Amino acid sequence: MIDGVKRTVRVDLGERSYDILIGRSILSGLGEAFKTLFPSSEAVIITDSNVAGLHLDTAEASLREVGVDPYVIVMEPGEKSKSYKGLMKAADAVLDSKLERGDIVIALGGGVIGDLAGFVAGIVRRGMRFIQVPTTLLSQVDSSVGGKTGINTSHGKNLIGLFNQPHLVLADTAVLDTLTPRDFKAGYAEVAKYGLINDPDFFEWLERHWQGIFDGGPEREEAIARSCQAKADVVAADEKEADQRALLNLGHTFGHALEGMAEYDAERIVHGEGVAIGMVLAHEFSSRLGLCDAAVTDRVVAHLQAVGLPTHIRDIPGQLPKVDLLMDYIAQDKKVSRGNLNFILTRGLGQSFVEKGVEPAAVRAFLEEKLG
Amino acid sequence: MIDGVKRTVRVDLGERSYDILIGRSILSGLGEAFKTLFPSSEAVIITDSNVAGLHLDTAEASLREVGVDPYVIVMEPGEKSKSYKGLMKAADAVLDSKLERGDIVIALGGGVIGDLAGFVAGIVRRGMRFIQVPTTLLSQVDSSVGGKTGINTSHGKNLIGLFNQPHLVLADTAVLDTLTPRDFKAGYAEVAKYGLINDPDFFEWLERHWQGIFDGGPEREEAIARSCQAKADVVAADEKEADQRALLNLGHTFGHALEGMAEYDAERIVHGEGVAIGMVLAHEFSSRLGLCDAAVTDRVVAHLQAVGLPTHIRDIPGQLPKVDLLMDYIAQDKKVSRGNLNFILTRGLGQSFVEKGVEPAAVRAFLEEKLG
């Protein structure tokens, strides 16, 4: 559809199917893609002030080239925009724009903007269509695939929201050159996750090629496409997370608890770092339960350390968390059902599975040992 | 499924299909119906303090009989609960309840509670299932069919929300005995609307049998079932209001403008009254355009007056609205597309159609004449 697209991943969800276009510097093709899909629609861009400073001009210019003058909504950067307050601000701004139900919301930003704008698109005038333009590695390989949108409340993260599929995802891999090394690494944790879920060949490929991904070589498009395809396959099989989709949460139960105990303070830990440590914990816990060879865990730790990711709870700056606090967060997790704890465990490299009914006492003993 | 059900209307929407059960005093069968549909789920009831005083005991007792102890959320009565503030209050309360994604929201109340609770159900944990127990005639024949849910904002009514279908609607016609005569009449306007859209036989039947409907005879179940079936047929053909569903808005463009100019002050006008006057205006405007015989309009006016509904703008207490103000509201209406006004007009009794591209000047001239 547009120049520079190196890979296209189709997310196959019947009438809600859509394409993910992946390539270097394809943001400048946004207008062309827009006009092809929505020849007579207007657009509203929802972004944050950080991303606006870097990429808004390119996006706007591209839309203007095809005769679309977008209305622009700039949110404050950071997780705090993913809130009732941010929702009201963004939704009211879309209504201010006077756009109509057939017009298009464009989410230009990372996971926060994608989750917020996708939710807003789903509820303004009972549903407008939307395009995701993810600008972080994390959002390109994770939050832009699968249609999970929403906000956080005082009860926890992502507890209010919708399954709402975009009509197009445009993943410009050159945009990732503007990320801090820390943010790039955090996103990479989710890339490695796809190998660890069920694709040992991909994990091996990552062990050999991760430097090319970080350097912006063609390996970057390859890794993003394989990650999107992996997620798309799971989502196509289980859109509403009845079962298999839970595998995508490998490392996330522990990870969310670590983010929670740090009060989501990005100075201490960001989501991808929580996932990295959480994946290591999931492997270690699997080993402790006699499910997984310790050598596999060592290999996972070695790779995550090689790219510079944290792998131990004590890698998080600040005080070590209390086990009780972590257990509280684990019990609150959405993956809990009727008091049993659901965990994603593994039987080996790329052999993850959903284990329902893990005993809380076993988790507690494991964490006490880790933090002892 | 439960005793006392006289009529069942199936709303046919593929995997989102559901039944509307209609009968006298069937609220006491809520528990039985719940257990049949959701054998291992918990329930949260969202209601308002007026309805709670009248019907909550019956609903709770019925659920307890089958071993379900519902969590209860009581909202303030009235339109102001259909707001961002009401949404946050209700959503946070559902999260407080510790219910899980597989549990059930029960909306016990009129249109406000149905719209709010249906929206909340759609977004808490990215979607819980819900049951509608509409307690007004208006909500039994209108808002409980079709899946429109949402809240109002300062930009207008129902601008934030979702299409979200319930899993069951339980319409207890005895509950309507507790309505004020004014509220019952207002709901009746929507019943008459189904005749005027495309079913002249039903309108004639109403002319003969309306007293039985008001008195709570078997005609009441008949009228509610025919209304629900009429709406269900339209919704099944056009769930997301691309076209035919717009017919359900007969009388609503004028009606919403009248509600708006009265600032939604229920002392002056309630929704059904706006619809009654709006339907008369739609017929008069159609006559003025040479589309509809004036005798048809007279017949519509005569019937609505017979049941005690307002039929003229001057029936609304307080100052007559300015034409400019009404035109502003009409232009803001969701049914506007690219500056053209969309109206539901009619060619005769029960011969309504969607007219796109009505000239604003013609509407203005008509209103000036009416208010002159």
Side-chain angles (χ1 to χ4, degrees), chain A residues 66-145:
Chain A
V66 297
V68 174
D69 187 21
Y71 188 90
V72 177
I73 299 168
V74 180
M75 306 295 296
E76 285 177 59
E79 197 82 12
K80 65 180 170 298
S81 286
K82 231 181 103 169
S83 59
Y84 284 125
K85 200 174 150 196
L87 176 74
M88 287 187 275
K89 181 187 160 176
D92 282 343
V94 174
L95 290 170
D96 284 340
S97 77
K98 306 271 185 196
L99 263 62
E100 295 166 6
R101 196 190 285 171
D103 291 327
I104 312 297
V105 173
I106 299 172
L108 175 67
V112 166
I113 289 296
D115 286 1
L116 175 68
F119 187 30
V120 166
I123 63 173
V124 170
R125 298 177 192 276
R126 297 201 193 91
M128 299 169 69
R129 295 169 294 183
F130 78 110
I131 294 177
Q132 293 267 24
V133 185
T135 58
T136 63
L137 180 55
L138 180 64
S139 58
Q140 290 190 356
V141 300
D142 181 36
S143 48
S144 69
V145 192

Coordinates of all heavy atoms in Angstrom, one line a residue, chain A residues 66-145:
Chain A
V66 N -2.5 14.4 1.4 CA -3.7 13.8 0.8 C -5.0 14.5 1.1 O -6.1 14.0 0.9 CB -3.8 12.3 1.2 CG1 -2.6 11.5 0.8 CG2 -4.0 12.2 2.7
G67 N -4.8 15.7 1.6 CA -6.0 16.6 1.8 C -6.7 16.4 3.1 O -7.9 16.8 3.2
V68 N -6.1 15.8 4.1 CA -6.7 15.6 5.4 C -6.0 16.5 6.4 O -4.8 16.4 6.5 CB -6.6 14.1 5.8 CG1 -7.2 13.9 7.2 CG2 -7.4 13.2 4.8
D69 N -6.8 17.4 7.0 CA -6.2 18.3 8.0 C -6.6 17.8 9.4 O -7.7 18.0 9.8 CB -6.8 19.7 7.7 CG -6.1 20.7 8.6 OD1 -5.0 20.5 9.1 OD2 -6.8 21.8 8.9
P70 N -5.7 17.1 10.0 CA -6.1 16.4 11.3 C -6.3 17.3 12.4 O -5.6 18.3 12.6 CB -5.0 15.4 11.5 CG -3.8 16.1 10.9 CD -4.3 16.8 9.7
Y71 N -7.3 17.0 13.3 CA -7.4 17.7 14.6 C -6.5 17.0 15.5 O -6.3 15.7 15.5 CB -8.9 17.5 15.1 CG -9.2 18.3 16.3 CD1 -9.8 19.6 16.2 CD2 -9.1 17.7 17.6 CE1 -10.1 20.3 17.3 CE2 -9.5 18.4 18.7 CZ -10.0 19.7 18.6 OH -10.4 20.4 19.7
V72 N -5.7 17.7 16.3 CA -4.7 17.1 17.1 C -4.9 17.3 18.6 O -5.2 18.4 19.1 CB -3.3 17.7 16.8 CG1 -2.2 17.1 17.7 CG2 -2.9 17.4 15.3
I73 N -4.9 16.2 19.4 CA -5.0 16.2 20.8 C -3.7 15.7 21.5 O -3.3 14.6 21.2 CB -6.2 15.2 21.2 CG1 -7.5 15.7 20.6 CG2 -6.3 15.2 22.8 CD1 -8.6 14.7 20.7
V74 N -3.1 16.6 22.3 CA -1.8 16.3 22.9 C -2.0 16.0 24.4 O -2.4 16.9 25.1 CB -0.8 17.4 22.7 CG1 0.5 17.1 23.3 CG2 -0.6 17.7 21.2
M75 N -1.8 14.8 24.8 CA -1.9 14.4 26.2 C -0.6 14.6 26.9 O 0.5 14.7 26.3 CB -2.3 13.0 26.3 CG -3.6 12.6 25.5 SD -5.1 13.4 26.1 CE -5.2 12.7 27.8
E76 N -0.6 14.7 28.2 CA 0.6 14.6 29.0 C 1.3 13.3 28.8 O 0.6 12.3 28.8 CB 0.4 14.9 30.5 CG 0.1 16.3 30.8 CD -0.3 16.4 32.3 OE1 0.6 16.0 33.1 OE2 -1.4 16.9 32.6
P77 N 2.6 13.2 28.7 CA 3.2 11.9 28.6 C 3.1 11.1 29.9 O 3.0 11.8 31.0 CB 4.7 12.2 28.3 CG 4.9 13.6 28.7 CD 3.6 14.3 28.7
G78 N 3.2 9.8 29.8 CA 3.2 9.0 31.0 C 1.9 8.4 31.4 O 0.9 8.7 30.9
E79 N 2.1 7.4 32.3 CA 1.0 6.5 32.7 C -0.2 7.3 33.2 O -1.4 6.8 33.2 CB 1.5 5.5 33.7 CG 0.7 4.3 33.9 CD 0.8 3.2 32.9 OE1 1.8 3.2 32.1 OE2 0.0 2.2 32.9
K80 N 0.0 8.5 33.8 CA -1.1 9.2 34.4 C -2.2 9.6 33.5 O -3.3 9.9 33.9 CB -0.6 10.3 35.3 CG 0.0 11.5 34.6 CD 0.5 12.5 35.6 CE 1.3 13.6 34.9 NZ 2.6 13.1 34.3
S81 N -1.9 9.7 32.2 CA -2.9 10.0 31.2 C -3.9 8.8 31.0 O -5.0 9.0 30.4 CB -2.3 10.4 29.9 OG -1.8 11.7 30.0
K82 N -3.4 7.6 31.4 CA -4.3 6.4 31.3 C -5.2 6.3 32.5 O -5.0 5.4 33.3 CB -3.4 5.2 31.1 CG -3.7 4.3 29.9 CD -2.7 3.1 29.9 CE -3.4 1.9 30.3 NZ -2.6 0.6 30.0
S83 N -6.1 7.2 32.6 CA -6.9 7.4 33.8 C -8.3 7.9 33.5 O -8.5 8.3 32.3 CB -6.2 8.4 34.8 OG -6.1 9.6 34.1
Y84 N -9.2 7.9 34.4 CA -10.5 8.5 34.2 C -10.3 9.9 33.7 O -11.0 10.4 32.7 CB -11.3 8.5 35.4 CG -12.0 7.2 35.9 CD1 -11.7 6.7 37.1 CD2 -12.8 6.5 35.0 CE1 -12.3 5.5 37.5 CE2 -13.4 5.3 35.4 CZ -13.2 4.8 36.7 OH -13.8 3.6 37.1
K85 N -9.4 10.6 34.3 CA -9.2 12.0 34.0 C -8.7 12.2 32.5 O -9.2 13.0 31.7 CB -8.2 12.7 34.9 CG -8.3 14.2 35.0 CD -7.3 14.7 36.1 CE -6.8 16.0 35.7 NZ -5.6 16.4 36.5
G86 N -7.7 11.3 32.2 CA -7.2 11.4 30.8 C -8.3 10.9 29.8 O -8.4 11.5 28.7
L87 N -9.1 10.0 30.2 CA -10.2 9.5 29.3 C -11.2 10.6 29.0 O -11.5 10.9 27.9 CB -10.9 8.3 30.0 CG -12.1 7.8 29.3 CD1 -11.7 7.0 28.0 CD2 -13.0 6.9 30.2
M88 N -11.6 11.3 30.1 CA -12.5 12.4 29.9 C -11.9 13.5 29.0 O -12.6 14.1 28.2 CB -12.9 13.0 31.3 CG -13.8 12.1 32.0 SD -14.5 12.9 33.6 CE -13.2 12.5 34.7
K89 N -10.6 13.8 29.3 CA -10.0 14.9 28.5 C -10.0 14.5 27.0 O -10.3 15.3 26.2 CB -8.6 15.1 29.1 CG -7.9 16.3 28.3 CD -6.4 16.4 28.7 CE -5.7 17.2 27.5 NZ -4.3 17.5 27.8
A90 N -9.5 13.3 26.8 CA -9.4 12.9 25.4 C -10.7 12.8 24.7 O -10.9 13.2 23.5 CB -8.6 11.6 25.3
A91 N -11.7 12.2 25.4 CA -13.0 12.0 24.8 C -13.7 13.3 24.5 O -14.3 13.5 23.4 CB -13.9 11.1 25.7
D92 N -13.6 14.2 25.5 CA -14.2 15.5 25.2 C -13.5 16.3 24.1 O -14.2 17.0 23.3 CB -14.1 16.4 26.5 CG -15.2 15.9 27.5 OD1 -16.2 15.3 27.1 OD2 -15.1 16.3 28.7
A93 N -12.2 16.1 24.0 CA -11.5 16.7 22.9 C -11.9 16.2 21.5 O -12.1 16.9 20.6 CB -10.0 16.6 23.1
V94 N -12.2 14.9 21.5 CA -12.6 14.3 20.2 C -14.0 14.9 19.9 O -14.3 15.2 18.7 CB -12.7 12.7 20.3 CG1 -13.3 12.2 19.0 CG2 -11.3 12.2 20.4
L95 N -14.8 15.0 20.9 CA -16.2 15.6 20.7 C -16.0 17.1 20.3 O -16.7 17.6 19.4 CB -17.1 15.5 21.9 CG -17.5 14.1 22.2 CD1 -18.2 14.0 23.6 CD2 -18.5 13.6 21.2
D96 N -15.1 17.8 20.9 CA -14.8 19.2 20.5 C -14.4 19.3 19.0 O -14.7 20.3 18.3 CB -13.6 19.8 21.3 CG -13.9 20.1 22.7 OD1 -15.1 20.3 23.0 OD2 -13.0 20.2 23.5
S97 N -13.8 18.2 18.5 CA -13.2 18.3 17.1 C -14.3 18.3 16.1 O -14.1 18.6 14.9 CB -12.4 17.1 16.9 OG -13.2 15.9 16.7
K98 N -15.6 18.0 16.5 CA -16.7 17.9 15.6 C -16.6 16.8 14.6 O -17.4 16.8 13.6 CB -17.0 19.3 14.9 CG -17.1 20.5 15.8 CD -18.5 20.7 16.3 CE -18.6 22.0 17.1 NZ -19.9 22.0 17.9
L99 N -15.7 15.9 14.8 CA -15.6 14.8 13.9 C -16.9 13.9 14.1 O -17.5 14.0 15.1 CB -14.4 14.0 14.1 CG -13.2 14.3 13.1 CD1 -12.8 15.8 13.3 CD2 -12.1 13.4 13.3
E100 N -17.2 13.1 13.1 CA -18.4 12.4 13.1 C -18.1 10.9 13.3 O -16.9 10.5 13.3 CB -19.2 12.6 11.8 CG -19.6 14.1 11.7 CD -20.1 14.5 10.3 OE1 -20.2 13.6 9.4 OE2 -20.4 15.7 10.2
R101 N -19.1 10.1 13.4 CA -19.0 8.7 13.8 C -18.1 7.9 12.7 O -17.4 7.0 13.1 CB -20.3 8.0 13.9 CG -20.3 6.7 14.7 CD -21.6 6.0 14.6 NE -22.6 6.5 15.5 CZ -23.8 6.2 15.5 NH1 -24.3 5.3 14.7 NH2 -24.7 6.7 16.3
G102 N -18.2 8.4 11.5 CA -17.5 7.7 10.4 C -16.0 8.1 10.3 O -15.3 7.6 9.5
D103 N -15.6 9.1 11.1 CA -14.2 9.6 11.1 C -13.3 8.7 11.9 O -13.7 7.8 12.5 CB -14.2 11.0 11.5 CG -14.9 11.9 10.5 OD1 -14.8 11.6 9.3 OD2 -15.5 12.9 10.9
I104 N -12.0 9.1 11.8 CA -11.0 8.1 12.3 C -10.1 8.7 13.4 O -9.6 9.8 13.3 CB -10.0 7.8 11.1 CG1 -10.9 7.4 9.8 CG2 -9.0 6.7 11.5 CD1 -11.7 6.2 10.0
V105 N -9.9 7.9 14.4 CA -8.9 8.3 15.5 C -7.6 7.7 15.1 O -7.5 6.5 14.8 CB -9.4 7.8 16.8 CG1 -8.4 8.0 17.9 CG2 -10.7 8.5 17.2
I106 N -6.5 8.5 15.2 CA -5.2 7.9 15.0 C -4.4 8.0 16.3 O -4.3 9.1 16.9 CB -4.4 8.7 13.9 CG1 -5.1 8.6 12.6 CG2 -3.0 8.2 13.8 CD1 -4.6 9.5 11.5
A107 N -4.0 6.9 16.8 CA -3.2 6.9 18.1 C -1.7 6.9 17.7 O -1.2 6.0 17.1 CB -3.5 5.6 18.8
L108 N -1.0 8.0 18.0 CA 0.4 8.2 17.7 C 1.2 8.3 19.0 O 1.2 9.3 19.6 CB 0.6 9.5 16.9 CG 2.0 10.0 16.5 CD1 2.6 9.0 15.5 CD2 2.0 11.4 16.0
G109 N 1.8 7.1 19.3 CA 2.5 7.1 20.6 C 2.8 5.7 21.0 O 2.6 4.7 20.3
G110 N 3.2 5.6 22.3 CA 3.5 4.3 22.9 C 2.2 3.6 23.4 O 1.1 3.9 23.0
G111 N 2.5 2.7 24.3 CA 1.4 1.9 24.9 C 0.3 2.7 25.6 O -0.9 2.4 25.4
V112 N 0.7 3.7 26.3 CA -0.3 4.5 27.0 C -1.2 5.2 26.0 O -2.5 5.1 26.2 CB 0.4 5.6 27.9 CG1 -0.6 6.7 28.4 CG2 1.1 4.9 29.1
I113 N -0.7 5.8 25.0 CA -1.5 6.5 24.0 C -2.3 5.5 23.2 O -3.5 5.7 23.0 CB -0.6 7.4 23.1 CG1 0.0 8.6 23.8 CG2 -1.4 7.8 21.8 CD1 -1.1 9.6 24.3
G114 N -1.8 4.4 22.9 CA -2.5 3.4 22.2 C -3.7 2.8 23.0 O -4.8 2.7 22.5
D115 N -3.4 2.5 24.2 CA -4.5 2.0 25.1 C -5.6 3.0 25.3 O -6.8 2.7 25.3 CB -3.9 1.6 26.4 CG -3.1 0.3 26.4 OD1 -3.0 -0.3 25.3 OD2 -2.6 -0.2 27.4
L116 N -5.2 4.3 25.5 CA -6.1 5.4 25.8 C -6.9 5.7 24.5 O -8.2 5.7 24.5 CB -5.4 6.6 26.3 CG -6.3 7.8 26.5 CD1 -7.2 7.6 27.7 CD2 -5.4 9.1 26.8
A117 N -6.2 5.9 23.4 CA -6.9 6.4 22.2 C -7.8 5.2 21.6 O -8.8 5.5 21.1 CB -5.8 6.8 21.2
G118 N -7.3 4.0 21.8 CA -8.2 2.9 21.3 C -9.4 2.8 22.1 O -10.5 2.5 21.6
F119 N -9.4 3.0 23.4 CA -10.5 3.0 24.3 C -11.5 4.2 23.9 O -12.7 4.0 23.7 CB -10.1 3.1 25.7 CG -11.2 2.9 26.7 CD1 -12.4 2.2 26.5 CD2 -11.1 3.5 28.0 CE1 -13.4 2.1 27.4 CE2 -12.1 3.4 29.0 CZ -13.2 2.7 28.7
V120 N -10.9 5.4 23.8 CA -11.7 6.6 23.4 C -12.4 6.3 22.1 O -13.6 6.6 21.9 CB -10.7 7.8 23.4 CG1 -11.4 9.0 22.7 CG2 -10.3 8.2 24.8
A121 N -11.6 5.8 21.1 CA -12.2 5.5 19.8 C -13.4 4.6 19.9 O -14.4 4.7 19.3 CB -11.2 4.9 18.8
G122 N -13.3 3.6 20.9 CA -14.4 2.6 21.1 C -15.6 3.2 21.7 O -16.7 2.6 21.5
I123 N -15.5 4.3 22.4 CA -16.7 4.8 23.1 C -17.2 6.1 22.7 O -18.4 6.5 23.1 CB -16.5 4.8 24.7 CG1 -15.4 5.8 25.0 CG2 -16.2 3.4 25.2 CD1 -15.2 5.9 26.5
V124 N -16.5 6.9 21.9 CA -17.0 8.2 21.4 C -18.0 7.9 20.3 O -17.7 7.2 19.4 CB -15.9 9.1 20.9 CG1 -16.5 10.3 20.2 CG2 -15.1 9.6 22.1
R125 N -19.2 8.4 20.5 CA -20.3 8.2 19.5 C -20.5 6.7 19.3 O -20.8 6.2 18.3 CB -20.1 8.9 18.2 CG -20.0 10.4 18.3 CD -19.7 11.1 17.0 NE -19.3 12.5 17.3 CZ -20.2 13.4 17.4 NH1 -21.5 13.2 17.3 NH2 -19.8 14.7 17.7
R126 N -20.3 5.9 20.4 CA -20.5 4.4 20.4 C -19.6 3.8 19.4 O -19.9 2.7 18.9 CB -21.9 4.0 20.2 CG -22.9 4.5 21.3 CD -24.1 3.7 21.3 NE -25.1 4.4 22.2 CZ -26.0 5.2 21.7 NH1 -26.1 5.5 20.4 NH2 -26.9 5.8 22.5
G127 N -18.4 4.4 19.1 CA -17.5 3.6 18.3 C -17.1 4.3 17.0 O -17.8 4.4 16.1
M128 N -15.8 4.9 17.0 CA -15.2 5.3 15.8 C -14.1 4.3 15.4 O -13.6 3.6 16.2 CB -14.6 6.7 16.0 CG -15.7 7.8 16.4 SD -14.9 9.3 17.0 CE -14.2 10.0 15.5
R129 N -13.7 4.4 14.2 CA -12.6 3.5 13.7 C -11.3 4.1 14.1 O -11.2 5.3 14.3 CB -12.7 3.3 12.2 CG -14.0 2.5 11.8 CD -14.2 2.5 10.3 NE -14.4 3.9 9.9 CZ -14.7 4.1 8.6 NH1 -14.8 3.2 7.7 NH2 -15.0 5.4 8.2
F130 N -10.2 3.3 14.3 CA -9.0 3.9 14.6 C -7.8 3.2 14.0 O -7.8 2.0 13.7 CB -8.8 4.0 16.2 CG -8.5 2.8 16.9 CD1 -7.2 2.6 17.5 CD2 -9.4 1.8 17.1 CE1 -6.9 1.5 18.3 CE2 -9.1 0.6 17.8 CZ -7.9 0.5 18.4
I131 N -6.7 3.9 13.9 CA -5.4 3.5 13.4 C -4.4 3.6 14.5 O -4.4 4.6 15.2 CB -4.9 4.4 12.2 CG1 -5.9 4.2 11.0 CG2 -3.5 4.0 11.8 CD1 -5.5 5.1 9.8
Q132 N -3.6 2.6 14.7 CA -2.5 2.6 15.7 C -1.2 2.9 15.0 O -0.8 2.3 14.0 CB -2.3 1.3 16.3 CG -3.5 0.8 17.2 CD -3.3 1.2 18.7 OE1 -2.5 2.2 19.0 NE2 -3.9 0.5 19.6
V133 N -0.5 4.0 15.4 CA 0.9 4.2 15.0 C 1.8 4.1 16.2 O 2.1 5.1 16.9 CB 1.0 5.6 14.3 CG1 2.4 5.8 13.8 CG2 0.0 5.8 13.2
P134 N 2.2 2.9 16.6 CA 2.9 2.7 17.8 C 4.4 3.2 17.6 O 5.0 2.9 16.6 CB 2.9 1.2 18.0 CG 2.7 0.6 16.6 CD 1.8 1.6 15.9
T135 N 4.9 4.0 18.6 CA 6.2 4.6 18.4 C 7.2 4.0 19.4 O 8.3 4.6 19.5 CB 6.0 6.1 18.7 OG1 5.5 6.3 20.0 CG2 5.1 6.8 17.6
T136 N 6.9 3.0 20.1 CA 7.9 2.3 20.9 C 8.0 0.8 20.5 O 7.0 0.3 19.9 CB 7.5 2.3 22.4 OG1 6.3 1.6 22.6 CG2 7.3 3.8 22.9
L137 N 9.1 0.2 20.8 CA 9.2 -1.2 20.5 C 8.2 -2.0 21.3 O 7.5 -2.9 20.7 CB 10.6 -1.7 20.9 CG 10.9 -3.2 20.6 CD1 10.6 -3.5 19.1 CD2 12.4 -3.5 21.0
L138 N 7.9 -1.7 22.5 CA 6.9 -2.4 23.3 C 5.6 -2.3 22.7 O 4.9 -3.3 22.5 CB 6.9 -1.8 24.7 CG 5.9 -2.4 25.7 CD1 6.2 -3.8 26.0 CD2 5.8 -1.6 27.0
S139 N 5.2 -1.1 22.2 CA 3.8 -1.0 21.7 C 3.8 -1.7 20.3 O 2.7 -2.2 19.9 CB 3.3 0.4 21.7 OG 4.2 1.2 20.9
Q140 N 4.9 -1.6 19.5 CA 4.9 -2.2 18.2 C 4.7 -3.8 18.3 O 4.0 -4.3 17.4 CB 6.1 -1.9 17.4 CG 6.2 -0.4 17.0 CD 7.3 -0.1 16.0 OE1 8.1 -0.9 15.7 NE2 7.3 1.2 15.6
V141 N 5.3 -4.4 19.3 CA 5.2 -5.8 19.3 C 4.1 -6.3 20.3 O 3.8 -7.5 20.3 CB 6.5 -6.5 19.7 CG1 7.6 -6.1 18.7 CG2 7.0 -6.1 21.1
D142 N 3.6 -5.5 21.1 CA 2.6 -6.0 22.1 C 1.3 -5.3 22.0 O 0.3 -5.8 21.5 CB 3.3 -5.8 23.5 CG 2.3 -6.3 24.6 OD1 1.7 -7.4 24.3 OD2 2.3 -5.8 25.7
S143 N 1.2 -4.0 22.5 CA -0.1 -3.4 22.7 C -0.8 -3.1 21.5 O -2.0 -2.9 21.5 CB 0.0 -2.2 23.7 OG 1.0 -1.3 23.3
S144 N -0.1 -3.0 20.3 CA -0.8 -2.7 19.1 C -1.5 -3.9 18.4 O -2.2 -3.8 17.5 CB 0.1 -2.0 18.1 OG 1.1 -2.9 17.6
V145 N -1.2 -5.1 19.0 CA -1.8 -6.3 18.5 C -2.7 -6.9 19.5 O -2.3 -7.1 20.7 CB -0.7 -7.4 18.1 CG1 -1.3 -8.5 17.3 CG2 0.5 -6.8 17.4

